[in-house]
mmCIF file of all heavy atoms in Angstrom:
data_model
loop_
_atom_site.group_PDB
_atom_site.id
_atom_site.type_symbol
_atom_site.label_atom_id
_atom_site.label_comp_id
_atom_site.label_asym_id
_atom_site.label_seq_id
_atom_site.Cartn_x
_atom_site.Cartn_y
_atom_site.Cartn_z
ATOM 1 N N TYR A 145 -2.164 -5.891 63.656
ATOM 2 C CA TYR A 145 -1.649 -6.616 64.843
ATOM 3 C C TYR A 145 -0.277 -6.102 65.345
ATOM 4 O O TYR A 145 0.352 -6.760 66.157
ATOM 5 C CB TYR A 145 -1.587 -8.095 64.535
ATOM 6 C CG TYR A 145 -2.944 -8.725 64.418
ATOM 7 C CD1 TYR A 145 -3.557 -8.868 63.148
ATOM 8 C CD2 TYR A 145 -3.610 -9.157 65.560
ATOM 9 C CE1 TYR A 145 -4.836 -9.403 63.079
ATOM 10 C CE2 TYR A 145 -4.906 -9.699 65.461
ATOM 11 C CZ TYR A 145 -5.492 -9.822 64.203
ATOM 12 O OH TYR A 145 -6.766 -10.371 64.124
ATOM 13 N N ALA A 146 0.193 -4.970 64.834
ATOM 14 C CA ALA A 146 1.471 -4.463 65.278
ATOM 15 C C ALA A 146 1.439 -4.098 66.743
ATOM 16 O O ALA A 146 2.342 -4.455 67.503
ATOM 17 C CB ALA A 146 1.856 -3.248 64.421
ATOM 18 N N ARG A 147 0.398 -3.409 67.164
ATOM 19 C CA ARG A 147 0.301 -3.015 68.572
ATOM 20 C C ARG A 147 0.102 -4.216 69.489
ATOM 21 O O ARG A 147 0.731 -4.281 70.583
ATOM 22 C CB ARG A 147 -0.853 -2.032 68.773
ATOM 23 C CG ARG A 147 -0.917 -1.474 70.221
ATOM 24 C CD ARG A 147 -1.954 -0.385 70.354
ATOM 25 N NE ARG A 147 -1.962 0.178 71.689
ATOM 26 C CZ ARG A 147 -2.659 -0.333 72.706
ATOM 27 N NH1 ARG A 147 -3.400 -1.444 72.485
ATOM 28 N NH2 ARG A 147 -2.619 0.185 73.888
ATOM 29 N N VAL A 148 -0.697 -5.184 69.084
ATOM 30 C CA VAL A 148 -0.923 -6.384 69.895
ATOM 31 C C VAL A 148 0.383 -7.152 70.033
ATOM 32 O O VAL A 148 0.691 -7.683 71.121
ATOM 33 C CB VAL A 148 -2.012 -7.261 69.244
ATOM 34 C CG1 VAL A 148 -2.190 -8.562 70.017
ATOM 35 C CG2 VAL A 148 -3.339 -6.483 69.230
ATOM 36 N N ALA A 149 1.140 -7.255 68.959
ATOM 37 C CA ALA A 149 2.411 -7.996 69.038
ATOM 38 C C ALA A 149 3.373 -7.353 70.035
ATOM 39 O O ALA A 149 4.016 -8.062 70.803
ATOM 40 C CB ALA A 149 3.044 -8.048 67.653
ATOM 41 N N LEU A 150 3.468 -6.033 70.009
ATOM 42 C CA LEU A 150 4.345 -5.337 70.952
ATOM 43 C C LEU A 150 3.812 -5.374 72.373
ATOM 44 O O LEU A 150 4.560 -5.364 73.358
ATOM 45 C CB LEU A 150 4.563 -3.921 70.508
ATOM 46 C CG LEU A 150 5.414 -3.737 69.217
ATOM 47 C CD1 LEU A 150 5.583 -2.265 68.918
ATOM 48 C CD2 LEU A 150 6.752 -4.425 69.360
ATOM 49 N N LEU A 151 2.488 -5.398 72.495
ATOM 50 C CA LEU A 151 1.865 -5.525 73.824
ATOM 51 C C LEU A 151 2.244 -6.856 74.440
ATOM 52 O O LEU A 151 2.545 -6.921 75.630
ATOM 53 C CB LEU A 151 0.353 -5.390 73.682
ATOM 54 C CG LEU A 151 -0.452 -5.300 75.009
ATOM 55 C CD1 LEU A 151 -0.088 -4.027 75.787
ATOM 56 C CD2 LEU A 151 -1.942 -5.316 74.717
ATOM 57 N N VAL A 152 2.222 -7.933 73.671
ATOM 58 C CA VAL A 152 2.612 -9.253 74.167
ATOM 59 C C VAL A 152 4.120 -9.325 74.396
ATOM 60 O O VAL A 152 4.597 -9.890 75.385
ATOM 61 C CB VAL A 152 2.142 -10.334 73.183
ATOM 62 C CG1 VAL A 152 2.654 -11.708 73.622
ATOM 63 C CG2 VAL A 152 0.624 -10.341 73.081
ATOM 64 N N TYR A 153 4.881 -8.708 73.505
ATOM 65 C CA TYR A 153 6.345 -8.819 73.561
ATOM 66 C C TYR A 153 6.992 -7.958 74.659
ATOM 67 O O TYR A 153 7.846 -8.399 75.364
ATOM 68 C CB TYR A 153 6.913 -8.432 72.203
ATOM 69 C CG TYR A 153 8.431 -8.461 72.118
ATOM 70 C CD1 TYR A 153 9.125 -9.651 72.085
ATOM 71 C CD2 TYR A 153 9.148 -7.265 72.082
ATOM 72 C CE1 TYR A 153 10.497 -9.675 71.995
ATOM 73 C CE2 TYR A 153 10.534 -7.238 72.015
ATOM 74 C CZ TYR A 153 11.220 -8.480 71.996
ATOM 75 O OH TYR A 153 12.587 -8.483 71.912
ATOM 76 N N GLY A 154 6.554 -6.692 74.743
ATOM 77 C CA GLY A 154 7.225 -5.772 75.645
ATOM 78 C C GLY A 154 6.321 -5.057 76.655
ATOM 79 O O GLY A 154 6.799 -4.172 77.373
ATOM 80 N N GLY A 155 5.024 -5.372 76.675
ATOM 81 C CA GLY A 155 4.149 -4.729 77.666
ATOM 82 C C GLY A 155 3.550 -3.436 77.132
ATOM 83 O O GLY A 155 3.815 -2.981 75.995
ATOM 84 N N ARG A 156 2.751 -2.812 77.969
ATOM 85 C CA ARG A 156 2.007 -1.619 77.549
ATOM 86 C C ARG A 156 2.930 -0.426 77.285
ATOM 87 O O ARG A 156 2.606 0.431 76.443
ATOM 88 C CB ARG A 156 0.969 -1.273 78.617
ATOM 89 C CG ARG A 156 -0.017 -0.177 78.193
ATOM 90 C CD ARG A 156 -1.198 -0.138 79.146
ATOM 91 N NE ARG A 156 -2.032 -1.313 78.987
ATOM 92 C CZ ARG A 156 -2.989 -1.422 78.054
ATOM 93 N NH1 ARG A 156 -3.207 -0.442 77.207
ATOM 94 N NH2 ARG A 156 -3.714 -2.501 78.008
ATOM 95 N N SER A 157 4.051 -0.326 77.992
ATOM 96 C CA SER A 157 4.941 0.809 77.783
ATOM 97 C C SER A 157 5.475 0.824 76.369
ATOM 98 O O SER A 157 5.587 1.888 75.726
ATOM 99 C CB SER A 157 6.097 0.772 78.784
ATOM 100 O OG SER A 157 6.835 -0.431 78.632
ATOM 101 N N LEU A 158 5.833 -0.329 75.838
ATOM 102 C CA LEU A 158 6.320 -0.425 74.462
ATOM 103 C C LEU A 158 5.154 -0.257 73.483
ATOM 104 O O LEU A 158 5.311 0.387 72.424
ATOM 105 C CB LEU A 158 7.030 -1.750 74.236
ATOM 106 C CG LEU A 158 7.669 -1.970 72.863
ATOM 107 C CD1 LEU A 158 8.740 -0.915 72.557
ATOM 108 C CD2 LEU A 158 8.285 -3.364 72.771
ATOM 109 N N ALA A 159 4.001 -0.825 73.791
ATOM 110 C CA ALA A 159 2.863 -0.744 72.877
ATOM 111 C C ALA A 159 2.289 0.654 72.768
ATOM 112 O O ALA A 159 1.725 1.006 71.757
ATOM 113 C CB ALA A 159 1.779 -1.720 73.323
ATOM 114 N N ASP A 160 2.430 1.464 73.851
ATOM 115 C CA ASP A 160 1.903 2.821 73.831
ATOM 116 C C ASP A 160 2.909 3.843 73.317
ATOM 117 O O ASP A 160 2.598 5.061 73.292
ATOM 118 C CB ASP A 160 1.436 3.216 75.257
ATOM 119 C CG ASP A 160 0.202 2.424 75.675
ATOM 120 O OD1 ASP A 160 -0.499 1.925 74.796
ATOM 121 O OD2 ASP A 160 -0.010 2.311 76.898
ATOM 122 N N SER A 161 4.125 3.403 72.947
ATOM 123 C CA SER A 161 5.098 4.319 72.367
ATOM 124 C C SER A 161 4.934 4.357 70.853
ATOM 125 O O SER A 161 3.886 3.940 70.334
ATOM 126 C CB SER A 161 6.525 3.841 72.750
ATOM 127 O OG SER A 161 6.788 2.573 72.162
ATOM 128 N N GLU A 162 5.962 4.850 70.172
ATOM 129 C CA GLU A 162 5.892 4.829 68.709
ATOM 130 C C GLU A 162 6.277 3.472 68.124
ATOM 131 O O GLU A 162 6.371 3.337 66.897
ATOM 132 C CB GLU A 162 6.821 5.917 68.113
ATOM 133 C CG GLU A 162 8.292 5.681 68.421
ATOM 134 C CD GLU A 162 9.160 6.709 67.741
ATOM 135 O OE1 GLU A 162 8.663 7.500 66.901
ATOM 136 O OE2 GLU A 162 10.371 6.739 68.007
ATOM 137 N N GLY A 163 6.424 2.469 68.989
ATOM 138 C CA GLY A 163 6.787 1.134 68.554
ATOM 139 C C GLY A 163 5.831 0.538 67.548
ATOM 140 O O GLY A 163 6.285 -0.011 66.510
ATOM 141 N N PRO A 164 4.499 0.588 67.757
ATOM 142 C CA PRO A 164 3.562 0.010 66.773
ATOM 143 C C PRO A 164 3.681 0.639 65.388
ATOM 144 O O PRO A 164 3.603 -0.065 64.383
ATOM 145 C CB PRO A 164 2.209 0.291 67.399
ATOM 146 C CG PRO A 164 2.464 0.321 68.862
ATOM 147 C CD PRO A 164 3.791 0.966 69.017
ATOM 148 N N LEU A 165 3.949 1.940 65.346
ATOM 149 C CA LEU A 165 4.136 2.610 64.063
ATOM 150 C C LEU A 165 5.385 2.109 63.358
ATOM 151 O O LEU A 165 5.385 1.867 62.142
ATOM 152 C CB LEU A 165 4.169 4.136 64.278
ATOM 153 C CG LEU A 165 4.388 4.986 62.971
ATOM 154 C CD1 LEU A 165 3.201 4.800 62.040
ATOM 155 C CD2 LEU A 165 4.576 6.451 63.346
ATOM 156 N N LEU A 166 6.440 1.947 64.126
ATOM 157 C CA LEU A 166 7.682 1.438 63.549
ATOM 158 C C LEU A 166 7.561 0.002 63.044
ATOM 159 O O LEU A 166 8.025 -0.365 61.976
ATOM 160 C CB LEU A 166 8.804 1.511 64.570
ATOM 161 C CG LEU A 166 9.255 2.898 65.060
ATOM 162 C CD1 LEU A 166 10.305 2.798 66.144
ATOM 163 C CD2 LEU A 166 9.769 3.714 63.879
ATOM 164 N N LEU A 167 6.867 -0.848 63.861
ATOM 165 C CA LEU A 167 6.658 -2.232 63.449
ATOM 166 C C LEU A 167 5.751 -2.301 62.234
ATOM 167 O O LEU A 167 5.981 -3.164 61.357
ATOM 168 C CB LEU A 167 6.051 -3.024 64.611
ATOM 169 C CG LEU A 167 5.900 -4.544 64.379
ATOM 170 C CD1 LEU A 167 7.266 -5.181 64.097
ATOM 171 C CD2 LEU A 167 5.271 -5.185 65.613
#
Side-chain angles (χ1 to χ4, degrees):
Y145 290 94
R147 185 174 182 275
V148 176
L150 290 182
L151 187 64
V152 174
Y153 178 74
R156 190 166 290 275
S157 59
L158 183 60
D160 291 339
S161 65
E162 64 175 352
L165 179 63
L166 295 176
L167 186 58

